[in-house]
Amino acid sequence: MSELITADVLNDLNIELPSWAFGNSGTRFRVFPTEGTPRDAFEKISDASQVNKFTGSASIVSLHIPWDHVDDYGKLYKHAQDHGVTIGTINSNVFQDEAYKLGSLCHPSPSVRRKAIDHHKFCIDVMRMTGSKDLKIWLADGTNYPGQDSIAARQDRLHESLSKIYSELDDDMRLLLEYKFFEPAFYHTDVPDWGTALVHCQSLGNRAKVVLDTGHHAPGTNIEFIVAQLTRLNMLGAFDFNSRFYADDDLIVGSADPYQLFRIMYEIIRAGALHPQSGVNFMLDQCHNLEDKIPGEILSVMNVQEAAVKASLVDAEALATAQQQGDVLGANRIFMDAYQTDVRPVIEDWRTRHGLPEDPYTAFLESGYMEQIRRSRIGGTQAGWGA
Ligand code: PSV
Ligand code: MN
């Protein structure tokens, strides 16, 4: 197989980086700051552009509003351009204001729902100012105790609120709805699963799509099945990639279960969804609680690159034949053969051909950028949750 393998599938791969991965994060027990952490969205974008510079596969940055709120979005847009990246998805944040204690778009009070809808209108304005075409909505809405609120009424309120937001979008903008099975709500969550997200998206219109965050499922869930189902319906709008051992751990993608990442990428490639025109965004949604953030993002991009190349090696013809013949083990061996191939040499070759360092991680560490930001970013307030 080795003479035939190539990493050219990477020509199609463009990963969106979350601005918040460059800020401080932690658990509810402690947020440990790191030296050189950005103080604002400008510095986050500068750091994100380093990931693209060294990997060649990450030229889009996703913002979270109000975490990334700035006075002049035109200036931020220009700053991104000057750093060779574009601003991608705008994430609305309706989970940190005092008013949202009992929810946002599903809240029992019309005035709180109105406030949350207005925040989304503002996010749409930010999209217009930054060239973004995707509005991503993840809600912390839900309840902690049975009987606390009507599950059904909350679904009705959700539909009504989402419809109002959807009607504000320009014709070339999309609404991406993210599901998560629990947390921060512990009894029920208002958008807990892909079925609920799908039902709401379908009732909104064809510019509403589902977001799949790999950390947002019960342990043991077959995520690649969901990918296969949503891609066949043309309803998968975006990924939030990360890795987990227990709950929504937000660890570096591919670190806990590289084989799962491979299986997901296989479904993506099989469905032709890796192509930039497919409408599926590949975003990372990670937190770097202990490790340095930029190297953490670089390693994440490298892990996705590796999984994509491996997945592209599955011999489709041989697999189809084995499947038709009911050759259970033969089919599985074809699949595993691709996963077990060491693709690092062909990826290094792809990088060399594209003027990139063979090992982006080491090249970045040797570039002096970390030392420079540690030295220069003195004072101010480091960005983090709630910043
Ligand atoms: C929620 O857990 C989530 O996955 C959503 O995408 C948020 O916007 C993101 O994390 C950042 O907290
Ligand atoms: Mn997410």
Side-chain angles (χ1 to χ4, degrees):
M1 183 190 250
S2 61
E3 308 89 301
L4 303 173
I5 72 173
T6 126
D8 284 346
V9 71
L10 297 184
N11 297 341
D12 277 344
L13 182 68
N14 200 1
I15 297 170
E16 196 168 346
L17 303 176
S19 66
W20 53 100
F22 299 92
N24 290 325
S25 62
T27 67
R28 63 201 162 110
F29 300 102
R30 171 76 180 160
V31 173
F32 295 102
T34 50
E35 283 179 313
T37 294
R39 278 82 49 91
D40 58 24
F42 290 91
E43 291 181 347
K44 289 181 192 173
I45 287 177
S46 302
D47 288 2
S49 74
Q50 291 292 309
V51 180
N52 187 45
K53 180 178 165 191
F54 285 87
T55 64
S57 291
S59 72
I60 311 168
V61 187
S62 181
L63 304 182
H64 218 296
I65 305 294
W67 289 343
D68 292 318
H69 181 61
V70 292
D71 293 335
D72 187 344
Y73 283 95
K75 213 169 141 195
L76 194 66
Y77 174 76
K78 175 84 177 25
H79 178 77
Q81 257 186 344
D82 292 346
H83 284 75
V85 295
T86 56
I87 292 178
T89 308
I90 300 298
N91 294 253
S92 61
N93 182 329
V94 283
F95 48 87
Q96 289 190 310
D97 192 286
E98 196 58 28
Y100 301 134
K101 187 172 168 179
L102 299 179
S104 58
L105 298 182
C106 309
H107 196 285
S109 151
S111 66
V112 177
R113 297 203 295 278
R114 168 51 53 202
K115 177 182 163 75
I117 293 166
D118 286 346
H119 175 66
H120 285 89
K121 282 192 191 169
F122 177 71
C123 288
I124 294 169
D125 282 339
V126 171
M127 290 165 72
R128 293 185 182 118
M129 292 184 277
T130 56
S132 164
K133 298 296 173 200
D134 288 331
L135 172 67
K136 181 155 145 273
I137 305 181
W138 171 74
L139 304 171
D141 290 41
T143 62
N144 274 3
Y145 296 97
Q148 180 190 319
D149 196 3
S150 160
I151 292 175
R154 291 177 74 94
Q155 286 297 304
D156 294 342
R157 293 175 208 143
L158 179 60
H159 171 70
E160 191 188 289
S161 302
L162 287 174
S163 303
K164 286 184 178 150
I165 295 167
Y166 190 78
S167 72
E168 295 290 329
L169 294 172
D170 295 343
D171 289 346
D172 59 350
M173 290 177 173
R174 303 190 303 171
L175 185 156
L176 306 178
L177 185 60
E178 180 176 357
Y179 62 91
K180 174 171 173 171
F181 78 124
F182 92 113
E183 197 198 29
F186 294 126
Y187 167 56
H188 104 277
T189 292
D190 290 308
V191 190
D193 50 35
W194 67 272
T196 305
L198 181 70
V199 163
H200 281 284
C201 287
Q202 283 176 332
S203 73
L204 290 173
N206 58 13
R207 284 178 294 108
K209 305 283 175 190
V210 177
V211 179
L212 187 160
D213 183 316
T214 48
H216 288 190
H217 307 85
T221 301
N222 183 333
I223 296 175
E224 57 271 26
F225 172 84
I226 303 171
V227 174
Q229 182 68 293
L230 290 176
T231 49
R232 74 178 271 279
L233 298 171
N234 188 26
M235 289 303 288
L236 182 61
F239 276 101
D240 276 7
F241 275 123
N242 47 48
S243 216
R244 54 82 74 76
F245 286 100
Y246 299 104
D248 187 20
D249 304 347
D250 283 342
L251 296 172
I252 288 174
V253 59
S255 58
D257 187 350
Y259 182 43
Q260 182 192 53
L261 180 60
F262 165 81
R263 298 192 309 262
I264 292 172
M265 291 312 290
Y266 169 73
E267 288 305 329
I268 283 294
I269 288 171
R270 193 197 46 75
L274 197 68
H275 196 270
Q277 304 309 321
S278 73
V280 180
N281 304 348
F282 297 88
M283 204 188 82
L284 305 177
D285 183 5
Q286 301 180 162
C287 293
H288 303 295
N289 298 354
L290 307 176
E291 65 276 19
D292 277 326
K293 297 130 178 45
I294 306 172
E297 288 289 289
I298 289 177
L299 211 52
S300 307
V301 172
M302 291 169 72
N303 287 350
V304 179
Q305 288 178 327
E306 213 172 299
V309 174
K310 286 185 178 200
S312 76
L313 300 183
V314 175
D315 186 336
E317 227 175 279
L319 186 63
T321 306
Q323 288 170 345
Q324 278 303 317
Q325 291 172 346
D327 183 0
V328 176
L329 297 181
N332 180 246
R333 285 197 68 188
I334 291 164
F335 203 71
M336 291 304 289
D337 205 27
Y339 175 62
Q340 285 163 345
T341 307
D342 183 359
V343 295
R344 287 171 299 182
V346 285
I347 297 181
E348 283 170 16
D349 174 61
W350 178 85
R351 290 188 182 122
T352 309
R353 281 190 283 122
H354 288 80
L356 296 161
E358 277 187 7
D359 176 359
Y361 177 82
T362 308
F364 170 73
L365 290 183
E366 289 170 352
S367 72
Y369 187 85
M370 288 301 293
E371 291 75 14
Q372 182 243 310
I373 58 172
R374 282 183 193 130
R375 261 196 323 269
S376 63
R377 293 180 183 166
I378 306 294
T381 306
Q382 295 191 333
W385 296 353

